Amino acid sequence: MNAHVTIPANATEAIELTDAERQPCEIWTRVMGYHRPVSSFNRGKIGEFNDRKYFTEARAKLG
């Protein structure tokens, strides 16, 4: 059931999906030099992932 939907360029209405139309988004992150999906983490690694602090170089004034 792959239907092609064309949205006009001047469309201003927000597109809303029902829960049945949504699909899960798999999150990957870099761990020890390689990338892995967060869904494969054990309980401890998920805790570490949730405790991470994110920054940008511009806001951290690193250079």
Side-chain angles (χ1 to χ4, degrees), residues 3 7 9-10 18 21 29 36 46 53-54 57 62:
I7 300 172
N10 62 352
T18 65
E21 295 173 309
T29 188
R36 290 186 57 194
I46 288 173
K53 305 288 185 216
Y54 295 92
E57 290 182 29
L62 299 174

Side-chain angles (χ1 to χ4, degrees), residues 11-59:
T12 58
E13 291 184 29
I15 298 172
E16 293 188 28
L17 299 175
T18 65
D19 287 342
E21 295 173 309
R22 296 177 184 272
Q23 66 183 25
C25 177
E26 186 171 59
I27 300 170
W28 286 60
T29 188
R30 186 170 177 264
V31 179
M32 299 297 291
Y34 58 96
H35 291 84
R36 290 186 57 194
V38 173
S39 61
S40 71
F41 287 178
N42 63 29
R43 180 192 248 165
K45 185 57 78 175
I46 288 173
E48 285 181 24
F49 177 76
N50 291 332
D51 289 343
R52 291 182 183 178
K53 305 288 185 216
Y54 295 92
F55 69 95
T56 62
E57 290 182 29
R59 290 192 64 199

